[in-house]
Amino acid sequence: RAAHTPGRLMNRGTVVFLALAILLAHAFAIHQTPAGDFGAPYELAHVAFRLGRNFVYEGVARWNPDGPPADAYPSLAWIGLAALAARAYVYPTLVAQGLDLFCALATVVVLAQFSSKRTAGLIAPTLLALSGSAAAACLSGTEGALAMLLVTSSFLAFERGWPRVLAGASALLVLTRPEGTPIVLALFVLELVARPRGEHARRPRLARAFLAPLAVLVAVLLLRLRTSGTLLSSFAAPLLEFDPARWRLGALWLASFVSASGFALLVLAVVLSVCAARLSAMGARALVLVVVWCLVLAAAGGDAQPFWISLVAVLPLFFLVVQESLREWMDQDPRLEKVVWPVLFLSAIAALLASKVPGNVG
């Protein structure tokens, strides 16, 4: 067995490198103008760029320096990045898209660490590279790719028992996206009631690691109270109000991802695995985080950005759930491999077709 270990590691490294190449090519293939030129960041990102510039040159992070205080952008981290770019006299578009690309590629590498001893552990990174949503986030200029990396890193640190990584990644996640706070809260609940066992049984308790994101959250709330007079942002406040119409719109938005992203068969595989109780403990915990994020987005009514960009943060965890589901099926009945691999192949083709320009299958 030891004689074949280097070969297996080499094969894993080759597949990870291939996934990185696919994601890079995928991103550049879809992020272009109708004329074929390299595309600019999404319009929403320019809001953060303007707020960051006004903070540097006018002293206030507002759309209009002399206007009333208001929450014009949901990510404090992205406004801070834009401010740093303005202070350094660097184009914020270059900084934002460069960081997006780095975070997306880093997420593929982090995702490959969840099952580092099995070839089946490369299913999730490969699916992420094939996802049009992940490819769109690579060069969108928004904080989607950063949130994706932070959610994936936080969950890996949670599973492996790395308190410092968990504290840092989750604290930054709270600053990066409003949905980050429910995710960190869900991780804390999992730490209390369903902490990892088995392979990582000696994993230390991580309750203290959640003090860092709590401190960041309190600081953000106090800052918002001081500057705008309210504790909750304009993005979080509506979530506390039950609006059936908004929930219906959010449900339709999630359904559109299932039907049009190319991953309908994989969603069905996860549902069947849950119903048949064929999902590993790690897969179940990852599924909890995916469901929490989706519920928050449903309560918000979905998103108007292209390619379901708001879902990107938990897509790696969704593909991890898919990976764990298919692995459990194949482990319990090896004959199912003849079904699993065709399903993955069809899903890959469907995902790539979802990214094509109409009329241009190439």
Side-chain angles (χ1 to χ4, degrees):
R1 191 185 332 180
H4 294 283
T5 299
R8 290 202 300 269
L9 293 177
M10 184 179 298
N11 291 336
R12 282 185 56 86
T14 302
V15 175
V16 171
F17 179 80
L18 180 61
L20 293 172
I22 291 174
L23 181 57
L24 187 63
H26 197 174
F28 280 99
I30 68 174
H31 195 79
Q32 53 183 283
T33 66
D37 300 325
F38 182 72
Y42 290 177
E43 291 183 1
L44 180 63
H46 290 274
V47 178
F49 301 159
R50 175 162 175 162
L51 295 178
R53 182 186 182 280
N54 285 344
F55 179 75
V56 170
Y57 293 107
E58 305 293 340
V60 288
R62 300 177 186 175
W63 182 257
N64 293 315
D66 56 348
D71 291 306
Y73 198 78
S75 176
L76 292 178
W78 218 241
I79 295 174
L81 178 70
L84 291 175
R87 173 59 65 187
Y89 300 99
V90 180
Y91 288 114
T93 55
L94 179 63
V95 174
Q97 289 182 302
L99 182 60
D100 278 344
L101 187 59
F102 170 80
C103 290
L105 296 177
T107 302
V108 173
V109 178
V110 173
L111 192 56
Q113 308 309 310
F114 281 95
S115 182
S116 58
K117 298 180 180 180
R118 301 193 57 172
T119 304
L122 298 173
I123 292 176
T126 305
L127 290 175
L128 183 65
L130 296 170
S131 168
S133 300
C138 281
L139 296 169
S140 66
T142 67
E143 69 282 359
L146 175 59
M148 179 171 65
L149 176 60
L150 293 175
V151 170
T152 309
S153 300
S154 296
F155 187 62
L156 179 63
F158 174 81
E159 290 292 317
R160 298 295 174 84
W162 300 336
R164 294 182 180 179
V165 177
L166 176 60
S170 58
L172 189 53
L173 178 60
V174 170
L175 282 175
T176 302
R177 285 297 307 177
E179 301 91 345
T181 299
I183 288 295
V184 174
L185 179 60
L187 282 173
F188 179 69
V189 173
L190 289 175
E191 171 66 20
L192 296 179
V193 302
R195 57 194 304 265
R197 304 288 182 182
E199 181 181 355
H200 305 290
R202 297 181 180 179
R203 163 191 179 278
R205 295 189 177 275
L206 302 178
R208 293 183 179 180
F210 293 95
L211 292 176
L214 176 61
V216 170
L217 177 61
V218 171
V220 170
L221 293 177
L222 293 178
L223 177 63
R224 182 174 290 114
L225 181 63
R226 181 179 178 181
T227 56
S228 63
T230 59
L231 278 175
L232 298 179
S233 69
S234 57
F235 303 95
L239 300 180
L240 301 180
E241 304 172 359
F242 179 71
D243 186 348
R246 193 167 61 237
W247 273 92
R248 189 179 306 110
L249 184 62
L252 290 174
W253 182 79
L254 291 173
S256 70
F257 171 79
V258 175
S259 61
S261 65
F263 297 122
L265 288 177
L266 301 184
V267 174
L268 178 60
V270 171
V271 172
L272 292 176
S273 296
V274 172
C275 294
R278 290 194 175 185
L279 186 60
S280 67
M282 181 178 69
R285 289 188 291 269
L287 182 59
V288 169
L289 300 185
V290 173
V291 170
V292 167
W293 191 282
C294 290
L295 288 177
V296 174
L297 291 179
D303 188 14
Q305 297 303 306
F307 251 123
W308 310 278
I309 202 75
S310 293
L311 271 177
V312 164
V314 292
L315 275 186
L317 299 191
F318 167 69
F319 294 135
L320 182 62
V321 175
V322 171
Q323 173 181 291
E324 292 299 298
S325 300
L326 299 181
R327 184 180 62 80
E328 287 289 324
W329 286 100
M330 290 188 292
D331 285 350
Q332 295 189 27
D333 190 349
R335 293 174 299 178
L336 290 176
E337 289 189 15
K338 298 180 180 179
V339 178
V340 168
W341 295 116
V343 166
L344 288 173
F345 178 77
L346 291 176
S347 298
I349 296 299
L352 291 176
L353 289 177
S355 298
K356 76 176 182 67
V357 177
N360 181 11
V361 178

